[in-house]
Amino acid sequence: MRVGVFDSGLGGLTILRAIVEQVHGVELFYLADTRYAPYGEKSPHEILQRTLAITEYFLSIHQIDALVIACNTATSSAISTLRHRYPQLLIVGTEPALKPAIEQTHTGAVGVLATPATLQGDKYQTLADTLSTHRPVTLYEQACAGLVEAIETNRLTTPQSLARLEGWLAPMRVGGVDTIVLGCTHYPLAKSVIAQVMQREVRLLDSGEAIAKRLLSLLEGVGHHNRGESRLYLYTTGKIDRAMVSRILPSYVSLEEIVVEG
Ligand code: DGL
């Protein structure tokens, strides 16, 4: 089986890492679309265009059987169009882990950190509205403009980044938030800094494991046996911090810069 996975940059590697742990005997092609990052501050139309260009690239060059949108922002703007346009392709999207957060909170106060585009999208609003009818909780939703860039450029612990995080997280601390949804696949890379700024025990939930499980179940549904080694091929459309890539995923085979025209 051949699986394409993409994100605007390093964030989707947190999903890829979970996939590598659970899905065996597949070829994984990962595209970091860093030339067009960050997605979260672009319009839904621009994000959709990038998603379509990348899907076409994966289908024509790598003949993928499955696509993982390792990005909350692109899922929000593009998954319904993709499902409509490519009915034969297995597609897995990424959504903020709001359901487990609402189930697990003890204080009834849940933080949601995501990109501006994800929080503004209908998909997130529908999810939040539906889930809050199951169990009423107080949601502290925070769009973190600039956080993806700070992660990509290794500037998470500068005084400016820390001050920005303090501004975003202080209301959550005061409101008794005990569970925070990391609603952008980049944010697990900032887990320790987020925990440090919160200054209290807090559950940080990401979507990696759920995505890997969903992918495995779709692949098994079409006859995949889940045995043997997987191979990882990484591509980027622009600059990327290679040292950080190696830290997140030491087992990749190659990392090549390519052009994916929209
Ligand atoms: N990592 C992506 C997400 O999950 C996109 C971040 C961005 O490029 O703004 O939303």
Side-chain angles (χ1 to χ4, degrees), residues 14 22 25 70 100 103 107 112 128 133 146 158 179 185 195 205 212 235 238 241 250 258:
T14 63
Q22 293 197 39
E103 285 163 3
T107 59
V112 182
T133 59
T158 61
T179 307
T185 55
L205 299 182
Y235 303 89
D241 184 337
I258 55 162

Side-chain angles (χ1 to χ4, degrees), residues 230-248:
S230 288
R231 281 175 161 258
L232 285 182
Y233 302 93
L234 270 42
Y235 303 89
T236 178
T237 55
K239 284 202 187 107
I240 197 155
D241 184 337
R242 285 172 184 253
M244 202 139 31
V245 174
S246 303
R247 274 204 297 280
I248 305 168

Side-chain angles (χ1 to χ4, degrees), residues 7-12 33 36-42 69-75 94 114-118 144 148-149 152 182-187:
D7 178 40
S8 64
L10 294 167
D33 197 19
Y36 298 89
Y39 283 177
E41 289 151 55
K42 293 199 161 40
I69 310 174
C71 173
N72 294 264
T73 310
T75 301
T94 306
T115 66
T118 297
C144 304
V148 163
E149 215 181 328
E152 290 278 339
L182 303 175
C184 166
T185 55
H186 277 75
Y187 300 170

